[in-house]
Amino acid sequence: MDPVEGFFNSMSWFQGSRESLFTEDVTRQLAGYSPIDTFRRHYANAPQDSLSAVQYIDIKTYLVDDILTKVDRASMAHALEVRVPLLDHEFMELVANVPSKLKLKGREGKYILKKSLERKLHHDTLYRPKKGFSVPLGQWLKNDLKPLFEKSVLNQSGNATQFLNQRTVETLWREHQSGQRERSAELWPILFFQKWLDKWG
């Protein structure tokens, strides 16, 4: 894969099932469109080295359309004012010009930032392993959420069947339930799509 394809696949929920996910009618209406086109457009405007290019695509897509959106909605729902000082535009412009060889040291990310804070913060704080905010979706879909998914998505009466290939959805569900493959990353957005359609479709 080229750098764009590699990065796109690493960020994509539907690896290997994307092409068969939609009904024939939806596929026809998409007229060859693929979300990777957005990545390619940003890549064309990005710096030339691969790391900086991927970071540029990330800033233009994942950061604004996912991470910051979720933080904004969750914080505002609880009357919190969240600040993102490291995204100050002047600071971002400065660090965008830092050579890629200084951004990573081996597999250690944010290397310069961490080095600059060594006199202020304890080593274990700066260099502890990253911890995500994931929830046990895989187990939920096999237990607590299983009846909801089966009733909402698999009964073929939901609105999602207008858009999604039911055979593909059933294959993803069967693979996940049997333990053949971990498919929660694909099944979760399908369930949310159906619930969104229940309310707004």
Side-chain angles (χ1 to χ4, degrees), residues 33-70:
Y33 167 79
S34 171
I36 198 173
D37 298 341
T38 301
F39 279 47
R40 292 200 184 283
R41 188 175 72 251
H42 290 307
Y43 187 76
N45 297 320
Q48 291 305 302
D49 74 275
S50 295
L51 177 60
S52 294
V54 164
Q55 288 176 322
Y56 181 81
I57 295 170
D58 205 45
I59 290 166
K60 292 291 189 178
T61 57
Y62 186 52
L63 187 65
V64 294
D65 294 331
D66 189 304
I67 300 299
L68 293 179
T69 301
K70 288 191 290 193

PDB file of all heavy atoms in Angstrom, residues 33-70:
ATOM      1  N   TYR A  33     -17.476   6.799  -5.484  1.00  0.00           N
ATOM      2  CA  TYR A  33     -16.881   7.582  -4.389  1.00  0.00           C
ATOM      3  C   TYR A  33     -16.329   6.652  -3.316  1.00  0.00           C
ATOM      4  O   TYR A  33     -16.938   5.647  -2.960  1.00  0.00           O
ATOM      5  CB  TYR A  33     -17.910   8.514  -3.756  1.00  0.00           C
ATOM      6  CG  TYR A  33     -17.425   9.095  -2.446  1.00  0.00           C
ATOM      7  CD1 TYR A  33     -16.529  10.165  -2.431  1.00  0.00           C
ATOM      8  CD2 TYR A  33     -17.804   8.536  -1.222  1.00  0.00           C
ATOM      9  CE1 TYR A  33     -16.048  10.670  -1.233  1.00  0.00           C
ATOM     10  CE2 TYR A  33     -17.322   9.034  -0.027  1.00  0.00           C
ATOM     11  CZ  TYR A  33     -16.449  10.107  -0.039  1.00  0.00           C
ATOM     12  OH  TYR A  33     -15.966  10.599   1.154  1.00  0.00           O
ATOM     13  N   SER A  34     -15.181   7.020  -2.771  1.00  0.00           N
ATOM     14  CA  SER A  34     -14.609   6.325  -1.624  1.00  0.00           C
ATOM     15  C   SER A  34     -14.088   7.368  -0.644  1.00  0.00           C
ATOM     16  O   SER A  34     -13.524   8.388  -1.072  1.00  0.00           O
ATOM     17  CB  SER A  34     -13.457   5.411  -2.055  1.00  0.00           C
ATOM     18  OG  SER A  34     -12.784   4.914  -0.900  1.00  0.00           O
ATOM     19  N   PRO A  35     -14.252   7.156   0.656  1.00  0.00           N
ATOM     20  CA  PRO A  35     -13.736   8.136   1.624  1.00  0.00           C
ATOM     21  C   PRO A  35     -12.229   8.330   1.536  1.00  0.00           C
ATOM     22  O   PRO A  35     -11.720   9.354   1.983  1.00  0.00           O
ATOM     23  CB  PRO A  35     -14.154   7.574   2.982  1.00  0.00           C
ATOM     24  CG  PRO A  35     -14.609   6.183   2.739  1.00  0.00           C
ATOM     25  CD  PRO A  35     -14.996   6.077   1.303  1.00  0.00           C
ATOM     26  N   ILE A  36     -11.530   7.375   0.940  1.00  0.00           N
ATOM     27  CA  ILE A  36     -10.077   7.557   0.798  1.00  0.00           C
ATOM     28  C   ILE A  36      -9.761   8.738  -0.114  1.00  0.00           C
ATOM     29  O   ILE A  36      -8.675   9.325  -0.045  1.00  0.00           O
ATOM     30  CB  ILE A  36      -9.398   6.266   0.278  1.00  0.00           C
ATOM     31  CG1 ILE A  36      -7.879   6.320   0.554  1.00  0.00           C
ATOM     32  CG2 ILE A  36      -9.679   6.048  -1.207  1.00  0.00           C
ATOM     33  CD1 ILE A  36      -7.155   5.036   0.245  1.00  0.00           C
ATOM     34  N   ASP A  37     -10.731   9.136  -0.955  1.00  0.00           N
ATOM     35  CA  ASP A  37     -10.529  10.299  -1.829  1.00  0.00           C
ATOM     36  C   ASP A  37     -10.234  11.556  -1.010  1.00  0.00           C
ATOM     37  O   ASP A  37      -9.424  12.398  -1.407  1.00  0.00           O
ATOM     38  CB  ASP A  37     -11.760  10.531  -2.715  1.00  0.00           C
ATOM     39  CG  ASP A  37     -12.030   9.365  -3.656  1.00  0.00           C
ATOM     40  OD1 ASP A  37     -11.099   8.565  -3.891  1.00  0.00           O
ATOM     41  OD2 ASP A  37     -13.173   9.256  -4.142  1.00  0.00           O
ATOM     42  N   THR A  38     -10.890  11.687   0.143  1.00  0.00           N
ATOM     43  CA  THR A  38     -10.645  12.838   1.025  1.00  0.00           C
ATOM     44  C   THR A  38      -9.213  12.797   1.546  1.00  0.00           C
ATOM     45  O   THR A  38      -8.529  13.828   1.582  1.00  0.00           O
ATOM     46  CB  THR A  38     -11.640  12.821   2.210  1.00  0.00           C
ATOM     47  OG1 THR A  38     -12.965  12.855   1.688  1.00  0.00           O
ATOM     48  CG2 THR A  38     -11.421  14.002   3.136  1.00  0.00           C
ATOM     49  N   PHE A  39      -8.753  11.616   1.928  1.00  0.00           N
ATOM     50  CA  PHE A  39      -7.379  11.468   2.403  1.00  0.00           C
ATOM     51  C   PHE A  39      -6.390  11.833   1.297  1.00  0.00           C
ATOM     52  O   PHE A  39      -5.395  12.505   1.535  1.00  0.00           O
ATOM     53  CB  PHE A  39      -7.147  10.031   2.868  1.00  0.00           C
ATOM     54  CG  PHE A  39      -7.655   9.733   4.249  1.00  0.00           C
ATOM     55  CD1 PHE A  39      -8.917  10.123   4.646  1.00  0.00           C
ATOM     56  CD2 PHE A  39      -6.862   9.040   5.151  1.00  0.00           C
ATOM     57  CE1 PHE A  39      -9.386   9.831   5.909  1.00  0.00           C
ATOM     58  CE2 PHE A  39      -7.322   8.736   6.430  1.00  0.00           C
ATOM     59  CZ  PHE A  39      -8.587   9.145   6.807  1.00  0.00           C
ATOM     60  N   ARG A  40      -6.674  11.370   0.080  1.00  0.00           N
ATOM     61  CA  ARG A  40      -5.769  11.668  -1.032  1.00  0.00           C
ATOM     62  C   ARG A  40      -5.720  13.161  -1.333  1.00  0.00           C
ATOM     63  O   ARG A  40      -4.666  13.712  -1.667  1.00  0.00           O
ATOM     64  CB  ARG A  40      -6.185  10.885  -2.280  1.00  0.00           C
ATOM     65  CG  ARG A  40      -5.970   9.391  -2.139  1.00  0.00           C
ATOM     66  CD  ARG A  40      -5.904   8.697  -3.494  1.00  0.00           C
ATOM     67  NE  ARG A  40      -5.803   7.259  -3.332  1.00  0.00           N
ATOM     68  CZ  ARG A  40      -4.691   6.615  -2.984  1.00  0.00           C
ATOM     69  NH1 ARG A  40      -3.577   7.281  -2.731  1.00  0.00           N
ATOM     70  NH2 ARG A  40      -4.689   5.295  -2.875  1.00  0.00           N
ATOM     71  N   ARG A  41      -6.859  13.835  -1.221  1.00  0.00           N
ATOM     72  CA  ARG A  41      -6.895  15.278  -1.480  1.00  0.00           C
ATOM     73  C   ARG A  41      -6.024  16.030  -0.461  1.00  0.00           C
ATOM     74  O   ARG A  41      -5.241  16.904  -0.820  1.00  0.00           O
ATOM     75  CB  ARG A  41      -8.338  15.786  -1.415  1.00  0.00           C
ATOM     76  CG  ARG A  41      -8.497  17.222  -1.866  1.00  0.00           C
ATOM     77  CD  ARG A  41      -9.941  17.677  -1.919  1.00  0.00           C
ATOM     78  NE  ARG A  41     -10.495  17.844  -0.578  1.00  0.00           N
ATOM     79  CZ  ARG A  41     -11.397  17.061  -0.022  1.00  0.00           C
ATOM     80  NH1 ARG A  41     -11.871  16.011  -0.678  1.00  0.00           N
ATOM     81  NH2 ARG A  41     -11.850  17.290   1.189  1.00  0.00           N
ATOM     82  N   HIS A  42      -6.136  15.649   0.811  1.00  0.00           N
ATOM     83  CA  HIS A  42      -5.305  16.294   1.831  1.00  0.00           C
ATOM     84  C   HIS A  42      -3.834  15.928   1.654  1.00  0.00           C
ATOM     85  O   HIS A  42      -2.949  16.766   1.858  1.00  0.00           O
ATOM     86  CB  HIS A  42      -5.782  15.912   3.233  1.00  0.00           C
ATOM     87  CG  HIS A  42      -7.104  16.518   3.602  1.00  0.00           C
ATOM     88  ND1 HIS A  42      -7.357  17.871   3.509  1.00  0.00           N
ATOM     89  CD2 HIS A  42      -8.249  15.949   4.054  1.00  0.00           C
ATOM     90  CE1 HIS A  42      -8.597  18.119   3.903  1.00  0.00           C
ATOM     91  NE2 HIS A  42      -9.159  16.973   4.225  1.00  0.00           N
ATOM     92  N   TYR A  43      -3.584  14.676   1.264  1.00  0.00           N
ATOM     93  CA  TYR A  43      -2.197  14.229   1.068  1.00  0.00           C
ATOM     94  C   TYR A  43      -1.508  15.054  -0.024  1.00  0.00           C
ATOM     95  O   TYR A  43      -0.320  15.363   0.079  1.00  0.00           O
ATOM     96  CB  TYR A  43      -2.174  12.747   0.703  1.00  0.00           C
ATOM     97  CG  TYR A  43      -0.802  12.135   0.633  1.00  0.00           C
ATOM     98  CD1 TYR A  43      -0.101  11.825   1.798  1.00  0.00           C
ATOM     99  CD2 TYR A  43      -0.197  11.850  -0.593  1.00  0.00           C
ATOM    100  CE1 TYR A  43       1.153  11.246   1.751  1.00  0.00           C
ATOM    101  CE2 TYR A  43       1.066  11.276  -0.656  1.00  0.00           C
ATOM    102  CZ  TYR A  43       1.743  10.971   0.519  1.00  0.00           C
ATOM    103  OH  TYR A  43       2.998  10.412   0.464  1.00  0.00           O
ATOM    104  N   ALA A  44      -2.271  15.432  -1.039  1.00  0.00           N
ATOM    105  CA  ALA A  44      -1.708  16.233  -2.136  1.00  0.00           C
ATOM    106  C   ALA A  44      -1.247  17.604  -1.650  1.00  0.00           C
ATOM    107  O   ALA A  44      -0.347  18.210  -2.242  1.00  0.00           O
ATOM    108  CB  ALA A  44      -2.747  16.399  -3.252  1.00  0.00           C
ATOM    109  N   ASN A  45      -1.844  18.103  -0.563  1.00  0.00           N
ATOM    110  CA  ASN A  45      -1.463  19.411  -0.011  1.00  0.00           C
ATOM    111  C   ASN A  45      -0.504  19.296   1.165  1.00  0.00           C
ATOM    112  O   ASN A  45      -0.127  20.309   1.749  1.00  0.00           O
ATOM    113  CB  ASN A  45      -2.723  20.165   0.462  1.00  0.00           C
ATOM    114  CG  ASN A  45      -3.660  20.469  -0.683  1.00  0.00           C
ATOM    115  OD1 ASN A  45      -3.226  20.816  -1.772  1.00  0.00           O
ATOM    116  ND2 ASN A  45      -4.959  20.327  -0.451  1.00  0.00           N
ATOM    117  N   ALA A  46      -0.154  18.069   1.515  1.00  0.00           N
ATOM    118  CA  ALA A  46       0.630  17.826   2.726  1.00  0.00           C
ATOM    119  C   ALA A  46       2.123  17.952   2.459  1.00  0.00           C
ATOM    120  O   ALA A  46       2.570  17.929   1.306  1.00  0.00           O
ATOM    121  CB  ALA A  46       0.317  16.428   3.251  1.00  0.00           C
ATOM    122  N   PRO A  47       2.923  18.082   3.540  1.00  0.00           N
ATOM    123  CA  PRO A  47       4.385  18.041   3.384  1.00  0.00           C
ATOM    124  C   PRO A  47       4.814  16.727   2.755  1.00  0.00           C
ATOM    125  O   PRO A  47       4.074  15.744   2.780  1.00  0.00           O
ATOM    126  CB  PRO A  47       4.891  18.159   4.832  1.00  0.00           C
ATOM    127  CG  PRO A  47       3.751  18.741   5.601  1.00  0.00           C
ATOM    128  CD  PRO A  47       2.498  18.276   4.923  1.00  0.00           C
ATOM    129  N   GLN A  48       6.009  16.688   2.239  1.00  0.00           N
ATOM    130  CA  GLN A  48       6.442  15.550   1.445  1.00  0.00           C
ATOM    131  C   GLN A  48       6.825  14.318   2.247  1.00  0.00           C
ATOM    132  O   GLN A  48       6.630  13.203   1.785  1.00  0.00           O
ATOM    133  CB  GLN A  48       7.620  15.961   0.538  1.00  0.00           C
ATOM    134  CG  GLN A  48       7.210  16.920  -0.564  1.00  0.00           C
ATOM    135  CD  GLN A  48       6.070  16.355  -1.409  1.00  0.00           C
ATOM    136  OE1 GLN A  48       6.202  15.293  -1.994  1.00  0.00           O
ATOM    137  NE2 GLN A  48       4.943  17.060  -1.464  1.00  0.00           N
ATOM    138  N   ASP A  49       7.379  14.484   3.454  1.00  0.00           N
ATOM    139  CA  ASP A  49       7.776  13.266   4.165  1.00  0.00           C
ATOM    140  C   ASP A  49       6.544  12.589   4.749  1.00  0.00           C
ATOM    141  O   ASP A  49       5.554  13.228   5.121  1.00  0.00           O
ATOM    142  CB  ASP A  49       8.821  13.574   5.244  1.00  0.00           C
ATOM    143  CG  ASP A  49       8.230  14.275   6.452  1.00  0.00           C
ATOM    144  OD1 ASP A  49       8.115  15.516   6.416  1.00  0.00           O
ATOM    145  OD2 ASP A  49       7.867  13.582   7.411  1.00  0.00           O
ATOM    146  N   SER A  50       6.583  11.276   4.824  1.00  0.00           N
ATOM    147  CA  SER A  50       5.390  10.468   5.140  1.00  0.00           C
ATOM    148  C   SER A  50       4.799  10.771   6.506  1.00  0.00           C
ATOM    149  O   SER A  50       3.580  10.854   6.657  1.00  0.00           O
ATOM    150  CB  SER A  50       5.723   8.976   5.048  1.00  0.00           C
ATOM    151  OG  SER A  50       6.041   8.625   3.726  1.00  0.00           O
ATOM    152  N   LEU A  51       5.632  10.929   7.532  1.00  0.00           N
ATOM    153  CA  LEU A  51       5.119  11.179   8.878  1.00  0.00           C
ATOM    154  C   LEU A  51       4.363  12.499   8.923  1.00  0.00           C
ATOM    155  O   LEU A  51       3.236  12.569   9.426  1.00  0.00           O
ATOM    156  CB  LEU A  51       6.244  11.178   9.905  1.00  0.00           C
ATOM    157  CG  LEU A  51       5.813  11.496  11.340  1.00  0.00           C
ATOM    158  CD1 LEU A  51       4.796  10.478  11.849  1.00  0.00           C
ATOM    159  CD2 LEU A  51       7.016  11.545  12.273  1.00  0.00           C
ATOM    160  N   SER A  52       4.954  13.556   8.389  1.00  0.00           N
ATOM    161  CA  SER A  52       4.290  14.867   8.397  1.00  0.00           C
ATOM    162  C   SER A  52       3.015  14.829   7.569  1.00  0.00           C
ATOM    163  O   SER A  52       2.023  15.468   7.920  1.00  0.00           O
ATOM    164  CB  SER A  52       5.232  15.952   7.857  1.00  0.00           C
ATOM    165  OG  SER A  52       6.327  16.135   8.726  1.00  0.00           O
ATOM    166  N   ALA A  53       3.043  14.085   6.468  1.00  0.00           N
ATOM    167  CA  ALA A  53       1.851  13.980   5.617  1.00  0.00           C
ATOM    168  C   ALA A  53       0.711  13.293   6.353  1.00  0.00           C
ATOM    169  O   ALA A  53      -0.442  13.738   6.310  1.00  0.00           O
ATOM    170  CB  ALA A  53       2.191  13.227   4.335  1.00  0.00           C
ATOM    171  N   VAL A  54       1.031  12.198   7.055  1.00  0.00           N
ATOM    172  CA  VAL A  54       0.008  11.482   7.811  1.00  0.00           C
ATOM    173  C   VAL A  54      -0.528  12.359   8.944  1.00  0.00           C
ATOM    174  O   VAL A  54      -1.733  12.393   9.212  1.00  0.00           O
ATOM    175  CB  VAL A  54       0.574  10.153   8.353  1.00  0.00           C
ATOM    176  CG1 VAL A  54      -0.309   9.576   9.444  1.00  0.00           C
ATOM    177  CG2 VAL A  54       0.733   9.145   7.225  1.00  0.00           C
ATOM    178  N   GLN A  55       0.359  13.099   9.603  1.00  0.00           N
ATOM    179  CA  GLN A  55      -0.088  14.007  10.658  1.00  0.00           C
ATOM    180  C   GLN A  55      -1.013  15.089  10.092  1.00  0.00           C
ATOM    181  O   GLN A  55      -2.016  15.451  10.716  1.00  0.00           O
ATOM    182  CB  GLN A  55       1.114  14.656  11.352  1.00  0.00           C
ATOM    183  CG  GLN A  55       1.882  13.690  12.232  1.00  0.00           C
ATOM    184  CD  GLN A  55       3.119  14.319  12.836  1.00  0.00           C
ATOM    185  OE1 GLN A  55       3.817  15.098  12.196  1.00  0.00           O
ATOM    186  NE2 GLN A  55       3.400  13.976  14.085  1.00  0.00           N
ATOM    187  N   TYR A  56      -0.687  15.581   8.918  1.00  0.00           N
ATOM    188  CA  TYR A  56      -1.513  16.608   8.269  1.00  0.00           C
ATOM    189  C   TYR A  56      -2.908  16.053   7.958  1.00  0.00           C
ATOM    190  O   TYR A  56      -3.922  16.700   8.231  1.00  0.00           O
ATOM    191  CB  TYR A  56      -0.827  17.078   6.989  1.00  0.00           C
ATOM    192  CG  TYR A  56      -1.569  18.156   6.244  1.00  0.00           C
ATOM    193  CD1 TYR A  56      -1.468  19.488   6.640  1.00  0.00           C
ATOM    194  CD2 TYR A  56      -2.365  17.851   5.140  1.00  0.00           C
ATOM    195  CE1 TYR A  56      -2.150  20.486   5.954  1.00  0.00           C
ATOM    196  CE2 TYR A  56      -3.050  18.840   4.453  1.00  0.00           C
ATOM    197  CZ  TYR A  56      -2.931  20.156   4.858  1.00  0.00           C
ATOM    198  OH  TYR A  56      -3.611  21.150   4.188  1.00  0.00           O
ATOM    199  N   ILE A  57      -2.959  14.841   7.404  1.00  0.00           N
ATOM    200  CA  ILE A  57      -4.258  14.206   7.116  1.00  0.00           C
ATOM    201  C   ILE A  57      -5.038  14.008   8.416  1.00  0.00           C
ATOM    202  O   ILE A  57      -6.250  14.251   8.479  1.00  0.00           O
ATOM    203  CB  ILE A  57      -4.058  12.853   6.405  1.00  0.00           C
ATOM    204  CG1 ILE A  57      -3.423  13.052   5.031  1.00  0.00           C
ATOM    205  CG2 ILE A  57      -5.394  12.122   6.260  1.00  0.00           C
ATOM    206  CD1 ILE A  57      -2.985  11.746   4.371  1.00  0.00           C
ATOM    207  N   ASP A  58      -4.356  13.589   9.468  1.00  0.00           N
ATOM    208  CA  ASP A  58      -4.986  13.348  10.760  1.00  0.00           C
ATOM    209  C   ASP A  58      -5.609  14.640  11.306  1.00  0.00           C
ATOM    210  O   ASP A  58      -6.740  14.636  11.808  1.00  0.00           O
ATOM    211  CB  ASP A  58      -3.937  12.822  11.739  1.00  0.00           C
ATOM    212  CG  ASP A  58      -4.537  11.998  12.858  1.00  0.00           C
ATOM    213  OD1 ASP A  58      -5.394  11.152  12.579  1.00  0.00           O
ATOM    214  OD2 ASP A  58      -4.147  12.205  14.017  1.00  0.00           O
ATOM    215  N   ILE A  59      -4.880  15.738  11.187  1.00  0.00           N
ATOM    216  CA  ILE A  59      -5.378  17.039  11.659  1.00  0.00           C
ATOM    217  C   ILE A  59      -6.622  17.451  10.881  1.00  0.00           C
ATOM    218  O   ILE A  59      -7.588  17.970  11.441  1.00  0.00           O
ATOM    219  CB  ILE A  59      -4.274  18.115  11.528  1.00  0.00           C
ATOM    220  CG1 ILE A  59      -3.165  17.859  12.554  1.00  0.00           C
ATOM    221  CG2 ILE A  59      -4.843  19.524  11.689  1.00  0.00           C
ATOM    222  CD1 ILE A  59      -1.887  18.634  12.293  1.00  0.00           C
ATOM    223  N   LYS A  60      -6.611  17.201   9.580  1.00  0.00           N
ATOM    224  CA  LYS A  60      -7.710  17.631   8.711  1.00  0.00           C
ATOM    225  C   LYS A  60      -8.939  16.732   8.786  1.00  0.00           C
ATOM    226  O   LYS A  60     -10.021  17.133   8.355  1.00  0.00           O
ATOM    227  CB  LYS A  60      -7.224  17.680   7.254  1.00  0.00           C
ATOM    228  CG  LYS A  60      -6.199  18.775   6.969  1.00  0.00           C
ATOM    229  CD  LYS A  60      -6.847  20.133   7.048  1.00  0.00           C
ATOM    230  CE  LYS A  60      -5.918  21.223   6.566  1.00  0.00           C
ATOM    231  NZ  LYS A  60      -6.581  22.545   6.596  1.00  0.00           N
ATOM    232  N   THR A  61      -8.776  15.512   9.320  1.00  0.00           N
ATOM    233  CA  THR A  61      -9.903  14.567   9.315  1.00  0.00           C
ATOM    234  C   THR A  61     -10.238  14.091  10.726  1.00  0.00           C
ATOM    235  O   THR A  61     -11.206  14.555  11.333  1.00  0.00           O
ATOM    236  CB  THR A  61      -9.602  13.357   8.408  1.00  0.00           C
ATOM    237  OG1 THR A  61      -8.388  12.709   8.839  1.00  0.00           O
ATOM    238  CG2 THR A  61      -9.442  13.785   6.956  1.00  0.00           C
ATOM    239  N   TYR A  62      -9.443  13.192  11.264  1.00  0.00           N
ATOM    240  CA  TYR A  62      -9.745  12.539  12.537  1.00  0.00           C
ATOM    241  C   TYR A  62      -9.839  13.530  13.698  1.00  0.00           C
ATOM    242  O   TYR A  62     -10.740  13.450  14.537  1.00  0.00           O
ATOM    243  CB  TYR A  62      -8.666  11.483  12.810  1.00  0.00           C
ATOM    244  CG  TYR A  62      -8.901  10.619  14.020  1.00  0.00           C
ATOM    245  CD1 TYR A  62     -10.109   9.941  14.205  1.00  0.00           C
ATOM    246  CD2 TYR A  62      -7.901  10.449  14.972  1.00  0.00           C
ATOM    247  CE1 TYR A  62     -10.312   9.128  15.311  1.00  0.00           C
ATOM    248  CE2 TYR A  62      -8.091   9.638  16.068  1.00  0.00           C
ATOM    249  CZ  TYR A  62      -9.301   8.982  16.235  1.00  0.00           C
ATOM    250  OH  TYR A  62      -9.496   8.177  17.325  1.00  0.00           O
ATOM    251  N   LEU A  63      -8.929  14.480  13.740  1.00  0.00           N
ATOM    252  CA  LEU A  63      -8.906  15.425  14.851  1.00  0.00           C
ATOM    253  C   LEU A  63     -10.175  16.271  14.881  1.00  0.00           C
ATOM    254  O   LEU A  63     -10.873  16.344  15.893  1.00  0.00           O
ATOM    255  CB  LEU A  63      -7.663  16.321  14.752  1.00  0.00           C
ATOM    256  CG  LEU A  63      -7.414  17.244  15.942  1.00  0.00           C
ATOM    257  CD1 LEU A  63      -7.109  16.435  17.205  1.00  0.00           C
ATOM    258  CD2 LEU A  63      -6.251  18.185  15.641  1.00  0.00           C
ATOM    259  N   VAL A  64     -10.503  16.905  13.752  1.00  0.00           N
ATOM    260  CA  VAL A  64     -11.648  17.830  13.738  1.00  0.00           C
ATOM    261  C   VAL A  64     -12.982  17.108  13.630  1.00  0.00           C
ATOM    262  O   VAL A  64     -13.991  17.565  14.191  1.00  0.00           O
ATOM    263  CB  VAL A  64     -11.524  18.866  12.598  1.00  0.00           C
ATOM    264  CG1 VAL A  64     -10.349  19.789  12.842  1.00  0.00           C
ATOM    265  CG2 VAL A  64     -11.393  18.201  11.237  1.00  0.00           C
ATOM    266  N   ASP A  65     -13.033  15.982  12.916  1.00  0.00           N
ATOM    267  CA  ASP A  65     -14.308  15.312  12.670  1.00  0.00           C
ATOM    268  C   ASP A  65     -14.636  14.223  13.689  1.00  0.00           C
ATOM    269  O   ASP A  65     -15.710  13.636  13.625  1.00  0.00           O
ATOM    270  CB  ASP A  65     -14.321  14.696  11.265  1.00  0.00           C
ATOM    271  CG  ASP A  65     -14.269  15.758  10.181  1.00  0.00           C
ATOM    272  OD1 ASP A  65     -14.764  16.874  10.424  1.00  0.00           O
ATOM    273  OD2 ASP A  65     -13.747  15.471   9.088  1.00  0.00           O
ATOM    274  N   ASP A  66     -13.702  13.928  14.591  1.00  0.00           N
ATOM    275  CA  ASP A  66     -13.947  12.859  15.556  1.00  0.00           C
ATOM    276  C   ASP A  66     -13.559  13.292  16.971  1.00  0.00           C
ATOM    277  O   ASP A  66     -14.424  13.581  17.798  1.00  0.00           O
ATOM    278  CB  ASP A  66     -13.177  11.606  15.138  1.00  0.00           C
ATOM    279  CG  ASP A  66     -13.551  10.383  15.960  1.00  0.00           C
ATOM    280  OD1 ASP A  66     -13.436  10.447  17.203  1.00  0.00           O
ATOM    281  OD2 ASP A  66     -13.955   9.364  15.386  1.00  0.00           O
ATOM    282  N   ILE A  67     -12.267  13.365  17.229  1.00  0.00           N
ATOM    283  CA  ILE A  67     -11.785  13.596  18.591  1.00  0.00           C
ATOM    284  C   ILE A  67     -12.309  14.904  19.184  1.00  0.00           C
ATOM    285  O   ILE A  67     -12.918  14.918  20.258  1.00  0.00           O
ATOM    286  CB  ILE A  67     -10.241  13.580  18.622  1.00  0.00           C
ATOM    287  CG1 ILE A  67      -9.710  12.227  18.136  1.00  0.00           C
ATOM    288  CG2 ILE A  67      -9.732  13.891  20.024  1.00  0.00           C
ATOM    289  CD1 ILE A  67     -10.143  11.053  18.977  1.00  0.00           C
ATOM    290  N   LEU A  68     -12.079  16.017  18.500  1.00  0.00           N
ATOM    291  CA  LEU A  68     -12.499  17.305  19.048  1.00  0.00           C
ATOM    292  C   LEU A  68     -14.018  17.432  19.106  1.00  0.00           C
ATOM    293  O   LEU A  68     -14.563  18.052  20.018  1.00  0.00           O
ATOM    294  CB  LEU A  68     -11.905  18.455  18.225  1.00  0.00           C
ATOM    295  CG  LEU A  68     -10.387  18.606  18.312  1.00  0.00           C
ATOM    296  CD1 LEU A  68      -9.916  19.758  17.438  1.00  0.00           C
ATOM    297  CD2 LEU A  68      -9.944  18.829  19.753  1.00  0.00           C
ATOM    298  N   THR A  69     -14.705  16.839  18.133  1.00  0.00           N
ATOM    299  CA  THR A  69     -16.167  16.876  18.130  1.00  0.00           C
ATOM    300  C   THR A  69     -16.730  16.160  19.352  1.00  0.00           C
ATOM    301  O   THR A  69     -17.624  16.664  20.032  1.00  0.00           O
ATOM    302  CB  THR A  69     -16.713  16.219  16.842  1.00  0.00           C
ATOM    303  OG1 THR A  69     -16.191  16.919  15.715  1.00  0.00           O
ATOM    304  CG2 THR A  69     -18.228  16.269  16.806  1.00  0.00           C
ATOM    305  N   LYS A  70     -16.191  14.977  19.645  1.00  0.00           N
ATOM    306  CA  LYS A  70     -16.674  14.210  20.791  1.00  0.00           C
ATOM    307  C   LYS A  70     -16.367  14.928  22.103  1.00  0.00           C
ATOM    308  O   LYS A  70     -17.209  14.970  23.007  1.00  0.00           O
ATOM    309  CB  LYS A  70     -16.060  12.811  20.798  1.00  0.00           C
ATOM    310  CG  LYS A  70     -16.609  11.906  19.709  1.00  0.00           C
ATOM    311  CD  LYS A  70     -16.208  10.460  19.889  1.00  0.00           C
ATOM    312  CE  LYS A  70     -14.748  10.232  19.641  1.00  0.00           C
ATOM    313  NZ  LYS A  70     -14.402   8.799  19.521  1.00  0.00           N
TER     314      LYS A  70
END
